[in-house]
Each structure stands twice: as C-alpha cells, then as structure tokens.
Amino acid sequence: MRKTFATYFQNLTFSRQIGITVTLGILALALFSSIAGSWQGNKRMRDSLIEQGQQVTENLARQSALALIYSSADNVTEAVNITMAFPGIIGVEIRDVNGRVLLARGNTNFAEFLEQSGQTNGLQASAILSTESSKSWRFAAPVYSQPSAGSPFGEVTTPEFLGNVSVVMSKADLSRRTADIFISNLFTSFFFALIFLLLIRYLTRGMARPLEHLSASMERARMGELLVRAVPSGPKDIARLAHAFNSMMSVREEHEAALRIAAIAFEIDEGMLVTDKHSVIIRVNQAFTRMTGYSADEAIGKTPALLLQSGRHNAAFYQAMWESVNHNHHWQGEIWNKRKNGEIYPEWLSISAVLGTNGTIVNYIGSFIDITERKQAENDIHQLAFYDPLSQLPNRRYLLNRLRQALSISARNQAGGALMFIDLDNFKTLNDTKGHDIGDLLLIEVAKRLQECIRDGDTVSRFGGDEFVLLLEGLSAEKAHAAVQARGVGEKILVALSQPYFLEGCELYSSSSMGITLFIDHAEKLDELLKQADTAMYEAKKSGRNALRFFDPVMQAELESRARLETGLREALRNQEFRLYYQMQVNHEGQIIGAEVLLRWFYPDVGLVSPLQFIPLAEETGLILPIGHWVLESACRQIKSWESDPHTRDLMLAVNVSGRQFRQTDFVAQVIEVIHQTGINPQSLKLELTESIVLDNVGDTIAKMQALKQAGVRFSMDDFGTGYSSLSYLTRLPLDQLKIDQSFVCNIGTRPTDAVIVQTIIGMANNLGMEVIAEGVETQAQCDFIMAAGCMRYQGYLFGKPVPIEQFEAQLRRG
C-alpha cells in the first residue's frame, strides 16, 4: 500500500504534489486544532457543571435541616421541587442520620454509578462529587443542625449531624455542548484553513508555473515533438534548466533531421541493399524484405548472387553487368531474380559503387523495384489490343500485322500463302432462340476447334461476331498445289465445325461457310485480299452453306457491280429514276380490261436495269418497302386520272406486292390511306400476291386480305402453280383471280404435262368461282388452247409489251 501510494505520488506533477501536501497539512492542522479546542472546552464545561451541581447540593442541604430534625418531608418539598427544576438535575434523595430515606425524587439509582464513597468521618463542610457514571454525576452534602446564636454561658456548641442530601445531575448537557463546540471549532478551523490554502496556492503558483511549463515541454519532447521549446521564467535555477533543455532539444532536432533524411533515403518503396567491396550484404531495408521475402537477419552476411539469382541469365550477362559497375561505377537494367519462396519475378535494378577517400570501391548500393505488375499490365494491354476477350484468339489488328509480315516473307522467299474467311451458318438464329450466353459458348468452342485444326505457324483470329479468319503460311509457290493444301485445311475445318456441340446440356449443330484466297508474291493491298476472301465466303453461302469457295476475279466483278447497283438503288427513289410500265390485259373479245403495273429503273450510269437484277437487291436491303409504297401511290394516282374518262374508268390496274411489304404490320392501313388520299374506286385496284407470300403465314394473310376486301380491293394470286399450292388454303383465301404462270403457258405446244396443268388450273378456278388469267401468251396457238380450256383473260407479248403510260394510253385510243 505504501509503495503504491509512493508510486502514485511520484507520477503527479510538482504543482500537484505541493498542492496535495499543503492541503493535507492544513486539513490535519485544522482537525487537530478542532479536537484540542473541543477538549479544552469540554474540560471547562465539566468544571462549570460540577461547580453548579455542588452549589445546588449545598443549597438543598441547608434547606433540609428542619425536615430532618422533625423527620418530616413536608418541610423540604418545595426546596426539592425547585432543585429538580434546575437544568440537568434528574434526581434528589434525602436520608436521615440512620440512613432512612426521608424523601426521593427522580433517578436515584446508585447502582449505575462507577463508585460510591462511604460515610465521611467527621464534619463535611460542603457538597462533594460523590460518584460518577457515564451519563451523570452524584453530588452529596451533609446536613447539620444550625448552631445557636450564642450561649449565655459563652459555650461553643457543635452542630449536630442530621443526615445526607444527594443530587444527581445528567451529563447530556455536557455532551451536547461539547459536540456544538467541536462542530463550531471544526467549521471555523476549516474556514480559516481554506483561506490559508488559497493564499498558499496563490503564493506557490508563481513558483510552480515555470516548472509546469518546463515539465510539459519535456513531456512533449518525450512524445517525439522535436520543435518544442521551454520559455525561461521563474526563479533563476528554473530558468537555467529551461535554457539547458532548449539547447538539448536543438541538438536533438539536428540529429533527428539527419537520421530522418537517412531513413527516408533508405526506407523508400524501392528495395535497397548495401554490400561491402566483396559484395557481402551488410544492410537491407524493409522494401527488400517485402519484395524478396528475406529478413535482414537472413540476408546480412550473404551475397546477392547466393540469395537472389534466378538462373534465367547466363554468365555473360552478369559479367557485362559487373564490368559496367566497376568501370562506370553504375549499372541499371531489367533482371529476373528469385524470391525466398522460389517465385521468379522481374525487377528493375540499379547498382552504384561507393568510392573511398583513396578512390577505391568500398561499398555497393543496389536499389530495385518489382516490375511484375508493370509487366502484367503490359501483357494485359497487349492482350486487349491484339486478342479477342471472348475467344482469346488474336483479333483483327493482330491478324493484319501478321498478314503484312506474311506478305513480306512470301515476296522475299517466293512462298505461297492463303487467307481463309469463315462465317458460321445461321448463327443469328441460334442467338435469337438459345440466347447470347449459348452463342458465346459456341464461339468459344469454335475457336478451340479451329486452333486444333491449324498447323504450327498458322494464325487463326476472330474478326468479330461469328466471323473467323485463318492465315496459312508456307504453302507451295505453285498456285495449284497451294490451292490443294489450302483446300485440305479448309475441308478439315468444315468437318470439325459441323460436329455436334454440347453446350449447357444441349446438343447443338452448326456449320460454316468458307472463302479462300491465295497469295504468292502478292502486290495488292491488305484490304483487297480480305475483300477477296470475304467475297468467296459469300459465294460459299450462296451455294448452300457448309461449303468452301476460292476467290474468282469474275465473282469479284459481279460483287462490285452489285455494290454499285445497291449504292445507286438507294439514290434512285430520291432522284426519280423509277418508271412504271403498263402491260395490257385483254378478254377473249380482244378488249383491254386493264393492265399490270411493272417497275423499271433507268440508272444514269448504266441505263435500263432489269428488274431481275434490282428487285432481289431491293428485297435484301429493305429498299423494297419505300419503292413498293411509291409504286402503289403512283398506280392509284393513275387510276384516279382514268376515272374522269368514260373509255378508261372501268380499267383495272394490277400491282405486285412483295413479301416484305405485305408482312408489315401496318400494310392494310398503308393501302387504305393511299386509297383515301387519291380518292379512287378501290374496285379498280388489284393486288397480286405470290404463293410464297400467301402461304408463309396463312392466318395473318387471310386477316389482311379480308380487311382489304372489305375496303373493296381485289386480289390475284400470281405465278400460280409454281409453288407448293395447298387446295385447303386456296378455298379459305378471299381471292378474286388466279394467274397461270408463263412457264406453263410457253410449253403448251411442247410439253403435254404443262398443257394438262393449265387445263387443271383453269377448271379448278372456274369451279371455285374465280377468274383466271394467263400470262406470257406469245402465240395465237397458245391463246386458242387456253381459250378452249375456258380461260377468257390474257396477258402477254401477243397483245402488247410493257410500255410507258404515254404509249399505253395511245394503245387505248387505238382500241
């Protein structure tokens, strides 16, 4: 306990130690003075109360003589009552000389007193404190007879002893007054002690404050604050201490600054090691330990070659490095080292030689950084720049670089090569039905199979989507032999890619189309070579897919012509290059009953372009939609212009509708809107649909035809008999007319089966209550046969070729 208190007291500041010491001393002094004052007051109060008790007892004794003489308590009752009324008196007792109690009041139990005195021998002049207990005093006084005033004979009479008077006085008043005195003294002492304490505190503050400031400055210095300084003040010796402390802190600050600079220079993010002139490590930093895994204890005393050599560099590398260090006193470069765990990693190392005073090397300092992340970042950048993230195959950029190198090598070495363009068949359908996740898995599997099919030195890349390009190098310089080599690789690839794929529990099948172009001493641009392979690939798709084709210059010319047509077709509508031609339709009497509207394109660079060339192209590109709408509007405007002439108001115009146009969701609304805008009689408009359009989606077809039939539009099935006709659908379709295809009509005189088909179609149409018209009628014999079979409407060169509106109206005027 004593040791603990001493330790606690030592941990206090000087000011607190002085304050606690002075406070405890003053409090102890105040307590002692309070106790001493209370004890003295208690003694004085006791003496005073005893004196009062003696006086009361003596007074009662003098007044009790008569009562004792006559042995009558009545004579002293009043005196006893007065005595009992005195403060502190709690009992009175009067006894005669024989010890008999004459009168007793209050507490007269003598057994509680500490001691009792016997009868006093002789005369007792006054009251005495007879006995005492913890709670009261007992006073006793003798009672004597009063002496006579004087004997006539001059004799002196002795007073006669009559009895005793006892008075009991309580100590309660003494205890209460003693406590009051103690509390009063204690309060007074503490009050003056507080005043004195404040005074002492004020007086000692001036001396303690400089010490506190000095102590606080030392504490801040102990906590590592180097810029702290003490303010010299207070007594002279304390001021000297402050000056000494400031000088010490200045020196320490300089030392710390020097150490900090050295530590910062050594403990940087770069790994550092210091060796002696024999390349023995004498010091390493924390970065060295973090990068290599070797602690300072494990590294010091060993050479870097023993700890770090990876084995990737030969002796010539290290020899050149140390020659540079010893001659130039410096070397830096990339080096592969080994960590403690055996991992080999790249680092950028700088070695500097430290020269002594005599110019000789005394130390080597090596600093290095781990460039693993930088190398990885370079690899990642290279991967992102030159590889496809999904298939991990080289990308377009990588392949173009390789192709450029391959062409240079081919020209230099007179070697052949091949570029193979591969496109997966129906990949979009797979994506739409199975989802893009399955599509991605298929692409990854295709990439793996392609890599398994190529030779070492060949390159397979993914161009994007479902397109892959293979570069074959080192083929024969003879074109025919190189083609055989390329075909062998291509057929191997086609077989591999047509094998089933098992993706996410599903068995899927896919095929591919491949275009190949050869290069031997190739002088054309890279883009031309890629275009050739792409062209050949599209030819493979046209041939039925899952096939390969070699590039042919004639094929390229056709594709380039097609591209020019597509470009011109996109401008034709805006440049008003389309024209409508009209081919008359007549009845069996030779009367013109209408015409079929046929589209012609006058291309300024080419002239008149055949519909067989530009109509399929318009279908592929989607341009057939605006073109078809223009044809419909133009035909309706022509019908409207004929309605004002009695000779032409009953003519009917037949307009061909493409499948893409008819499948538009708003096709019905478009037709009705054109009818309303032009204000024609819808009975004069006949829309011709092919079998393929009608049977593609029968439900949708019937709904659209019914809607337009209600508006008054008529329908004709064009090229009937050339498709997969269904009689059940034929009875459900709201058709007005069947048109016999010209392929049957032209063979009537040469192929009996075609004649039978024509007769069958005519008979079926008549039985179903439909009109029937034959197209392609070019001879009178054909016309006679058809008429005899029951067909009364005709169209063909026998009656008139397709002509512009001006010529057609001239034919109308001629009748």
Side-chain angles (χ1 to χ4, degrees):
M1 182 66 181
R2 182 178 180 183
K3 184 177 180 180
T4 303
F5 178 77
T7 303
Y8 170 76
F9 198 71
Q10 289 175 358
N11 291 332
L12 298 176
T13 62
F14 176 73
S15 175
R16 289 188 178 275
Q17 289 182 8
I18 292 178
I20 292 175
T21 302
V22 173
T23 300
L24 292 178
I26 292 176
L27 291 177
L29 181 62
L31 183 62
F32 177 76
S33 63
S34 299
I35 294 173
S38 299
W39 181 77
Q40 292 176 353
N42 178 270
K43 187 175 184 305
R44 289 194 298 271
M45 182 61 64
R46 172 186 172 87
D47 292 344
S48 175
L49 291 176
I50 291 175
E51 184 179 356
Q52 291 178 11
Q54 289 175 340
Q55 292 177 358
V56 169
T57 304
E58 288 179 357
N59 290 334
L60 181 60
R62 284 194 295 269
Q63 296 177 20
S64 301
L66 186 59
L68 288 173
I69 292 174
Y70 292 105
S71 298
S72 174
D74 295 336
N75 295 323
V76 76
T77 298
E78 184 178 354
V80 168
N81 290 338
I82 294 173
T83 300
M84 287 295 294
F86 192 85
I89 302 301
I90 60 174
V92 174
E93 184 182 60
I94 302 175
R95 291 177 179 268
D96 60 15
V97 69
N98 295 321
R100 185 177 57 86
V101 177
L102 179 64
L103 185 144
R105 294 282 181 87
N107 184 7
T108 58
N109 183 15
F110 300 148
E112 68 179 13
F113 293 96
L114 297 178
E115 58 182 11
Q116 296 185 16
S117 61
Q119 295 293 332
T120 303
N121 296 323
L123 297 176
Q124 183 177 317
S126 62
I128 62 171
L129 177 60
S130 175
T131 55
E132 180 178 1
S133 71
S134 60
K135 298 181 180 180
S136 57
W137 294 289
R138 179 173 175 273
F139 299 97
V143 181
Y144 293 95
S145 60
Q146 295 294 329
S148 56
S151 173
F153 302 104
E155 298 177 353
V156 178
T157 61
T158 301
E160 182 183 1
F161 177 68
L162 300 178
N164 290 310
V165 174
S166 297
V167 175
V168 179
M169 178 178 284
S170 174
K171 291 184 178 181
D173 190 48
L174 175 63
S175 299
R176 180 180 55 76
R177 292 188 182 185
T178 301
D180 292 343
I181 292 172
F182 177 76
I183 293 172
S184 176
N185 289 343
L186 185 62
F187 176 78
T188 303
S189 298
F190 274 102
F191 176 74
F192 284 104
L194 179 60
I195 294 175
F196 184 69
L197 181 62
L198 293 176
L199 181 62
I200 293 297
R201 176 73 173 174
Y202 175 77
L203 294 176
T204 58
R205 197 180 190 88
M207 179 181 66
R209 185 180 292 111
L211 286 175
E212 289 177 354
H213 290 170
L214 180 59
S215 176
S217 300
M218 291 180 176
E219 179 64 20
R220 289 165 61 189
R222 187 182 70 83
M223 297 300 293
E225 190 175 341
L226 296 178
L227 299 179
V228 63
R229 295 293 185 271
V231 178
S233 61
K236 186 176 181 179
D237 52 350
I238 296 177
R240 283 201 301 268
L241 283 175
H243 284 295
F245 171 76
N246 292 341
S247 299
M248 180 187 70
M249 290 304 299
S250 297
V251 173
R252 181 184 173 188
E253 183 181 355
E254 294 175 359
H255 289 173
E256 289 288 341
L259 291 175
R260 186 167 57 253
I261 293 172
I264 291 173
F266 197 71
E267 292 296 343
I268 56 178
D269 289 338
E270 297 182 4
M272 294 193 69
L273 69 157
V274 181
T275 72
D276 59 17
K277 62 182 180 180
H278 302 295
S279 298
V280 177
I281 299 173
I282 59 177
R283 187 178 178 187
V284 298
N285 67 354
Q286 291 295 324
F288 174 92
T289 300
R290 185 177 65 253
M291 294 183 194
T292 66
Y294 291 103
S295 65
D297 294 337
E298 293 172 326
I300 293 174
K302 299 181 178 62
T303 63
L306 178 64
L307 291 178
L308 305 175
Q309 265 193 13
S310 64
R312 286 200 176 187
H313 306 287
N314 54 26
F317 172 84
Y318 291 106
Q319 182 179 355
M321 180 182 73
W322 284 110
E323 285 180 358
S324 175
V325 173
N326 293 326
H327 287 87
N328 303 323
H329 303 148
H330 183 74
W331 179 89
Q332 66 176 359
E334 184 177 314
I335 188 172
W336 289 83
N337 274 339
K338 182 174 66 176
R339 306 187 204 272
K340 182 180 178 180
N341 60 9
E343 177 189 353
I344 296 176
Y345 69 100
E347 67 180 32
W348 185 262
L349 174 64
S350 297
I351 303 176
S352 300
V354 180
L355 303 180
T357 55
N358 57 359
T360 60
I361 296 176
V362 295
N363 294 102
Y364 296 103
I365 298 177
S367 63
F368 61 92
I369 57 174
D370 187 343
I371 59 174
T372 301
E373 293 184 358
R374 190 182 77 185
K375 299 284 284 187
Q376 183 63 44
E378 291 174 354
N379 292 337
D380 292 344
I381 293 172
H382 182 270
Q383 189 76 11
L384 291 173
F386 294 103
Y387 287 85
D388 173 54
L390 177 65
S391 64
Q392 300 302 312
L393 293 177
N395 60 11
R396 182 188 185 97
R397 179 182 297 175
Y398 184 94
L399 181 84
L400 291 178
N401 291 340
R402 291 285 298 132
L403 180 58
R404 191 175 293 108
Q405 297 172 11
L407 293 176
S408 299
I409 295 172
S410 174
R412 185 170 57 250
N413 299 336
Q414 292 297 308
L419 196 65
M420 311 174 74
F421 207 105
I422 302 171
D423 186 86
L424 300 183
D425 298 331
N426 302 316
F427 180 73
K428 183 179 184 301
T429 303
L430 175 70
N431 255 348
D432 293 340
T433 56
K434 299 295 184 180
H436 289 278
D437 291 342
I438 297 296
D440 289 346
L441 293 177
L442 178 64
L443 293 175
I444 294 172
E445 185 62 28
V446 168
K448 292 178 182 178
R449 296 187 184 186
L450 289 175
Q451 289 176 308
E452 294 171 356
C453 292
I454 63 174
R455 310 165 303 168
D456 293 338
D458 295 337
T459 303
V460 56
S461 70
R462 182 186 176 210
F463 255 36
D466 59 340
E467 296 177 343
F468 297 86
V469 177
L470 276 71
L471 174 63
L472 305 183
E473 300 181 61
L475 301 183
S476 174
E478 184 182 348
K479 189 172 184 179
H481 189 203
V484 172
Q485 292 175 316
R487 178 179 290 276
V489 177
E491 290 177 346
K492 180 181 178 181
I493 290 173
L494 292 180
V495 172
L497 298 184
S498 63
Q499 298 302 310
Y501 297 85
F502 298 93
L503 307 174
E504 297 290 336
C506 299
E507 181 179 0
L508 302 175
Y509 289 86
S510 180
S511 62
S512 58
S513 300
M514 180 186 303
I516 305 174
T517 185
L518 302 175
F519 59 88
I520 300 173
D521 193 16
H522 186 75
E524 297 183 17
K525 296 180 180 179
L526 297 183
D527 291 343
E528 290 296 326
L529 204 59
L530 289 170
K531 187 187 298 182
Q532 292 174 6
D534 188 48
T535 300
M537 183 272 294
Y538 275 106
E539 283 300 313
K541 283 191 176 293
K542 288 182 180 179
S543 68
R545 305 177 187 272
N546 197 27
L548 65 83
R549 290 290 183 271
F550 282 87
F551 172 75
D552 184 0
V554 175
M555 175 199 316
Q556 181 65 23
E558 291 178 355
L559 289 175
E560 290 177 354
S561 175
R562 182 180 184 277
R564 287 195 298 272
L565 282 180
E566 181 179 342
T567 302
L569 192 61
R570 294 184 183 278
E571 302 294 329
L573 194 61
R574 183 167 58 249
N575 297 337
Q576 299 182 351
E577 297 171 3
F578 290 114
R579 300 289 186 273
L580 291 185
Y581 274 44
Y582 299 81
Q583 186 176 26
M584 67 177 62
Q585 295 177 345
V586 300
N587 60 17
H588 62 285
E589 296 176 350
Q591 296 177 341
I592 300 175
I593 58 175
E596 180 181 1
V597 177
L598 300 172
L599 182 65
R600 297 294 182 265
W601 177 25
F602 288 89
Y603 189 16
D605 296 339
V606 178
L608 182 63
V609 181
S610 170
L612 297 178
Q613 287 184 282
F614 74 84
I615 292 297
L617 185 59
E619 288 275 6
E620 290 181 25
T621 58
L623 295 173
I624 195 65
L625 299 179
I627 293 174
H629 194 269
W630 177 83
V631 171
L632 179 64
E633 283 184 334
S634 300
C636 289
R637 283 195 296 269
Q638 186 59 55
I639 292 173
K640 186 63 178 176
S641 68
W642 285 344
E643 288 181 354
S644 59
D645 188 343
H647 296 93
T648 58
R649 69 175 57 173
D650 295 327
L651 294 179
M652 182 178 296
L653 274 184
V655 178
N656 290 284
V657 178
S658 73
R660 198 162 185 173
Q661 185 180 7
F662 186 77
R663 291 298 165 216
Q664 295 180 98
T665 56
D666 61 342
F667 175 72
V668 174
Q670 290 183 29
V671 175
I672 293 176
E673 183 181 4
V674 171
I675 292 174
H676 289 166
Q677 286 178 350
T678 56
I680 67 168
N681 179 8
Q683 294 289 331
S684 300
L685 176 64
K686 180 169 59 179
L687 301 181
E688 291 192 359
L689 307 175
T690 63
E691 283 187 76
S692 59
I693 296 175
V694 171
L695 301 180
D696 181 40
N697 186 338
V698 177
D700 179 66
T701 300
I702 293 175
K704 289 180 177 178
M705 292 177 66
Q706 291 285 8
L708 290 175
K709 283 282 289 183
Q710 291 179 3
V713 179
R714 296 166 60 85
F715 286 96
S716 174
M717 181 175 286
D718 195 11
D719 302 334
F720 185 76
T722 60
Y724 300 96
S725 303
S726 173
L727 297 181
S728 63
Y729 291 146
L730 191 62
T731 58
R732 295 169 54 193
L733 295 171
L735 291 170
D736 298 288
Q737 186 182 76
L738 293 180
K739 178 180 278 192
I740 303 173
D741 188 68
Q742 60 182 350
S743 63
F744 299 118
V745 175
C746 67
N747 293 326
I748 286 177
T750 58
R751 295 177 60 181
T753 54
D754 286 358
V756 172
I757 291 175
V758 170
Q759 290 175 330
T760 303
I761 294 174
I762 295 172
M764 181 180 61
N766 290 333
N767 291 331
L768 293 175
M770 297 182 187
E771 295 177 358
V772 61
I773 184 171
E775 67 174 350
V777 180
E778 298 180 355
T779 66
Q780 188 62 46
Q782 293 171 348
C783 183
D784 293 341
F785 179 85
I786 295 171
M787 185 182 301
C791 178
M792 301 303 170
R793 292 172 178 79
Y794 323 102
Q795 177 182 341
Y797 280 13
L798 178 62
F799 308 101
K801 295 180 179 181
V803 293
I805 185 62
E806 295 81 9
Q807 296 181 27
F808 181 76
E809 289 182 341
Q811 293 175 351
L812 289 174
R813 285 193 294 271
R814 289 196 300 268

